[in-house]
Amino acid sequence: MSSDREVAGVHHRNIEKANQQKNPFACIAEKYKNYRKDEKTFEISYRGSKEMTKDQLKWAFKLAEKNVGPYYTACKLGWQPKIKQNDMTKSWARFLVAKDGSKNAGYACFRFDMDYGRSVIYW
């Protein structure tokens, strides 16, 4: 039977391996490169935080502020814009960006991390 420490070590190695990948979606990128909805086709691309331009990061932050800011404001922690902006530029921040032609349409920001000794993905 594995100890908690051994299990945590396995999870930690999994996170390290995930974080070392230049593009964790490379093996499925071709299959999920395009998404079609309501006669529109969105191109999905992966970017690490350092591959996002200043304009893209500004757009992503404003979208987060509009869409999830009210939920953060309603909870105990509150909306903390400087922390959110800082998080979006950390080396661990990764993005899936959806574009409608040349226009940004949406994104998901995520990271691989540890929580209570388990490997997790925060979206």
Side-chain angles (χ1 to χ4, degrees):
M1 188 166 179
S2 298
S3 71
D4 288 344
R5 181 179 222 142
E6 289 171 327
V7 170
V10 169
H11 284 276
H12 187 27
R13 285 189 296 281
N14 289 340
I15 293 301
E16 286 179 344
K17 186 175 179 180
N19 280 325
Q20 289 171 358
Q21 294 181 46
K22 182 168 173 56
N23 179 351
F25 291 95
C27 63
I28 61 170
E30 201 55 43
K31 183 175 181 179
Y32 296 102
K33 183 178 181 178
N34 295 304
Y35 174 74
R36 190 156 173 79
K37 172 96 173 152
D38 299 331
E39 299 183 25
K40 286 187 174 188
T41 300
F42 299 92
E43 184 179 340
I44 311 296
S45 62
Y46 168 83
R47 293 189 184 97
S49 62
K50 304 305 179 208
E51 299 165 319
M52 296 281 283
T53 66
K54 286 183 182 182
D55 286 342
Q56 288 171 321
L57 287 167
K58 184 177 178 180
W59 161 79
F61 173 77
K62 286 185 178 209
L63 189 58
E65 186 173 46
K66 176 183 173 186
N67 289 338
V68 298
Y71 297 103
Y72 278 91
T73 301
C75 77
K76 197 174 3 176
L77 291 174
W79 176 248
Q80 300 175 353
K82 291 193 183 303
I83 291 172
K84 182 58 73 182
Q85 284 178 317
N86 190 37
D87 284 350
M88 294 175 95
T89 61
K90 295 279 189 188
S91 61
W92 46 252
R94 297 158 181 262
F95 295 83
L96 289 177
V97 178
K99 291 187 121 192
D100 179 9
S102 63
K103 183 181 174 189
N104 291 324
Y107 75 94
C109 182
F110 64 99
R111 74 178 193 256
F112 302 108
D113 209 341
M114 294 289 292
D115 198 357
Y116 297 101
R118 300 284 185 198
S119 48
V120 296
I121 299 175
Y122 287 116
W123 285 92

